Amino acid sequence: MLEGNSKPPIFVRIKRTGMSKIDTLCVHAGYAPGRGEPRQMPIVQSTTFKYETSDQMGRLFDLEDAGYFYTRLANPTCDMVAARINALEGGVGAILTSSGQAANLFACLNICKAGDHIVSLNNIYGGTFNLLGVSLRQMGIDVTFVDHKATDEEVNACFRPETKLLFGETLSNPGVEVLDIERFAKIAHAHGVPLVIDNTFATPVHCRPFEWGADIVTHSTTKYIDGHGATVGGCVVDSGNFDWEAHADKFPGLTTPDASYHGLTYTKKFGRAAYITKATTHLMRDLGAMQSPQNAFYLNLGLQTLHLRIRRVSESALKVATFLKNHPAVAWVRYPDLPDDPEHEKQLKYLPEGSCGVMCVGLKGGREFDNRFMDALKLITIETHVADCYSCILHPASHTHRQLSDEQLRAAGIDPGLMRVSIGLEDPDDIIADLAQALEAAAK
Ligand SMILES: *Cc1c(COP(=O)(O)O)cnc(C)c1O
């Protein structure tokens, strides 16, 4: 869905309601029913849409008129939910995708092709690390990973003439390190490329990367935005701020005629919405990783309480992190909201109302102790999932990375003792009691 002056070709017109506060946007943005219309956002469970004349249909295919014609390209329910996320992020347009993986894939492929290059922070989610480092490389798009603690000089040295974007996460998964968005936006822009940020853990309630100079935001909506472990999904949001025309030679897909649309040029036809329009009319048309209207409906039910949930899990996580920090069996805790955390200064700048519910913990007892501890947990469940209403724990050395030795783990930058703990919506006292009894049981 698109807002602003550009005339969107295939998107529903969203009524402007003059809302501004985040909490109100979570409940209302993107859908304002009229007289006698459903109070809850309706599910438009239809593949196709009817027109009266052949010419009407033709004009849609030429991107001359706005309207729906096939749900692979756009669907009213998906667009309303995308509009809500777009309003929260403060963008010019957004699209839903089938997963967070598809969102990050689309964000890259929309401006990268074989022979191009990406610079990415190296502390990103493992799935994205593989997407960039394995799959995109196999497609001929190279990537250079750089440490988030690297100096400007070291980051600058990663760029090449064929570099098309800089990628990072607001809060890294699993390390919960805070990206210095302003610094990396400046670096990206100095090289004439956009900063693409995965804002999954922070959510737009706690951080809006566009306000700090990021150009494109992605989400795995599977995490906090859904928040109930119900639907896998993703979203790409365009700030509309990157000047593609100023670097026209780098982004020919946006700035030169598209033969598959009778020679239309996205930047000329859609202005600030060029990037997000192309993501729909070109990538979604060809790759088809759309979200189903039914899933978008469930996603929206989660989205309507996102503001309440992300605040609550952050508050609880700080209590839990403080408890763990003071426990004699705990070696270390990494949570950005702890006053003595190395990421705390950046947390105060970019996420002043709190980060999220995820933290990393290391225990003193070694791997056997870690396993006894996890087995003794009663409320907190062992899951690969993270960032929803259920408290859960993951030990990469025993689970996702179990094929690696301790030395190999260290070489990959993973502390063998690292446990990712995701705090849910249970009473924090119950979560703390569960951790306390499991630590006690593991010591026996
Ligand atoms: C989970 C996750 C993804 C991938 O999302 P899926 O919805 O599982 O495809 C991408 N980025 C981050 C930060 C994640 O946590």
Side-chain angles (χ1 to χ4, degrees):
M1 114 71 221
L2 303 166
E3 280 189 58
N5 299 329
S6 57
K7 287 215 176 63
I10 56 167
F11 301 90
V12 73
R13 285 222 154 269
I14 306 296
K15 290 167 207 155
R16 289 190 162 278
T17 48
M19 296 172 290
S20 60
K21 295 268 199 294
I22 281 282
D23 294 28
T24 311
L25 294 172
C26 279
V27 182
H28 288 284
Y31 179 59
R35 180 168 176 266
E37 287 174 0
R39 175 61 279 191
Q40 180 54 277
M41 190 184 280
I43 310 173
V44 181
Q45 191 67 42
S46 181
T47 56
T48 37
F49 302 84
K50 184 201 151 198
Y51 289 90
E52 302 292 338
T53 69
S54 167
D55 182 56
Q56 285 172 352
M57 192 77 194
R59 290 180 62 78
L60 293 176
F61 274 95
D62 282 349
L63 306 184
E64 286 299 334
D65 279 355
Y68 294 96
F69 52 99
Y70 192 53
T71 284
R72 168 155 39 80
L73 279 101
N75 170 280
T77 308
C78 297
D79 268 3
M80 289 185 277
V81 181
R84 188 161 292 183
I85 298 172
N86 179 57
L88 289 166
E89 291 286 4
V92 76
I95 57 165
L96 297 188
T97 57
S98 55
S99 66
Q101 289 298 105
N104 284 326
L105 174 68
F106 273 42
C108 296
L109 283 190
N110 207 29
I111 46 175
C112 296
K113 56 176 177 8
D116 288 343
H117 173 249
I118 290 169
V119 179
S120 172
L121 278 295
N122 68 355
N123 60 352
I124 56 172
Y125 168 65
T128 315
F129 193 87
N130 285 333
L131 168 65
L132 301 179
V134 179
S135 290
L136 286 191
R137 273 197 183 128
Q138 285 171 352
M139 295 179 197
I141 299 166
D142 202 7
V143 56
T144 302
F145 291 107
V146 63
D147 197 283
H148 76 290
K149 293 195 190 100
T151 62
D152 286 6
E153 209 175 26
E154 287 164 334
V155 181
N156 283 328
C158 297
F159 283 80
R160 306 176 191 166
E162 65 272 22
T163 305
K164 296 298 157 79
L165 64 94
L166 175 58
F167 185 91
E169 294 173 355
T170 310
L171 290 168
S172 64
N173 176 5
V176 275
E177 286 145 343
V178 182
L179 189 74
D180 191 343
I181 302 173
E182 223 172 11
R183 169 161 100 93
F184 284 96
K186 274 196 195 115
I187 293 174
H189 296 160
H191 293 275
V193 303
L195 176 63
V196 180
I197 298 246
D198 182 330
N199 199 31
T200 297
F201 273 14
T203 83
V205 175
H206 275 174
C207 180
R208 289 166 299 284
F210 296 157
E211 293 173 1
W212 300 100
D215 302 287
I216 308 295
V217 156
T218 62
H219 283 281
S220 165
T221 59
T222 317
K223 313 294 165 54
Y224 286 120
I225 294 185
D226 172 298
H228 298 76
T231 61
V232 174
C235 186
V236 181
V237 192
D238 181 359
S239 69
N241 292 336
F242 193 82
D243 189 350
W244 309 103
E245 287 281 355
H247 309 281
D249 53 325
K250 270 190 195 290
F251 305 104
L254 291 166
T255 60
T256 61
D258 180 346
S260 68
Y261 283 110
H262 303 312
L264 158 162
T265 299
Y266 285 98
T267 46
K268 295 214 164 62
K269 179 107 184 158
F270 303 112
R272 290 184 66 206
Y275 175 95
I276 200 68
T277 305
K278 178 174 181 281
T280 295
T281 58
H282 177 185
L283 284 187
M284 208 48 104
R285 178 196 66 187
D286 293 358
L287 303 183
M290 27 72 68
Q291 192 166 129
S292 76
Q294 189 84 39
N295 268 13
F297 174 80
Y298 290 129
L299 177 60
N300 183 58
L301 292 183
L303 184 48
Q304 288 186 301
T305 57
L306 174 65
H307 52 300
L308 302 176
R309 293 182 290 102
I310 189 70
R311 282 182 201 131
R312 168 70 178 210
V313 295
S314 303
E315 260 171 46
S316 296
L318 183 55
K319 284 185 191 159
V320 172
T322 306
F323 160 78
L324 287 170
K325 186 113 195 157
N326 294 318
H327 196 286
V330 174
W332 56 267
V333 179
R334 276 269 2 277
Y335 182 61
D337 307 32
L338 285 171
D340 58 350
D341 191 85
E343 300 294 310
H344 188 57
E345 210 174 302
K346 282 181 283 168
Q347 181 255 316
L348 289 178
K349 175 172 175 181
Y350 291 107
L351 309 110
E353 291 167 38
S355 59
C356 69
V358 183
M359 69 188 71
C360 293
V361 184
L363 305 181
K364 286 179 185 161
R367 221 189 252 210
E368 288 303 311
F369 184 96
D370 292 347
N371 284 322
R372 287 201 302 277
F373 161 73
M374 284 185 290
D375 291 349
L377 289 166
K378 292 182 175 136
L379 175 65
I380 301 168
T381 49
I382 301 171
E383 284 176 35
T384 56
H385 197 40
V386 63
D388 67 11
C389 62
Y390 310 103
S391 287
C392 59
I393 189 163
L394 179 85
H395 184 212
S398 307
H399 306 141
T400 45
H401 297 66
R402 61 179 294 124
Q403 70 283 9
L404 303 186
S405 68
D406 283 7
E407 274 134 57
Q408 287 172 316
L409 283 168
R410 278 195 200 91
I414 298 165
D415 184 319
L418 182 149
M419 289 189 234
R420 182 183 70 187
V421 183
S422 178
I423 301 304
L425 291 173
E426 304 91 345
D427 190 302
D429 291 342
D430 283 339
I431 299 168
I432 288 170
D434 192 35
L435 291 164
Q437 67 79 23
L439 286 167
E440 202 174 308
K444 282 189 187 137

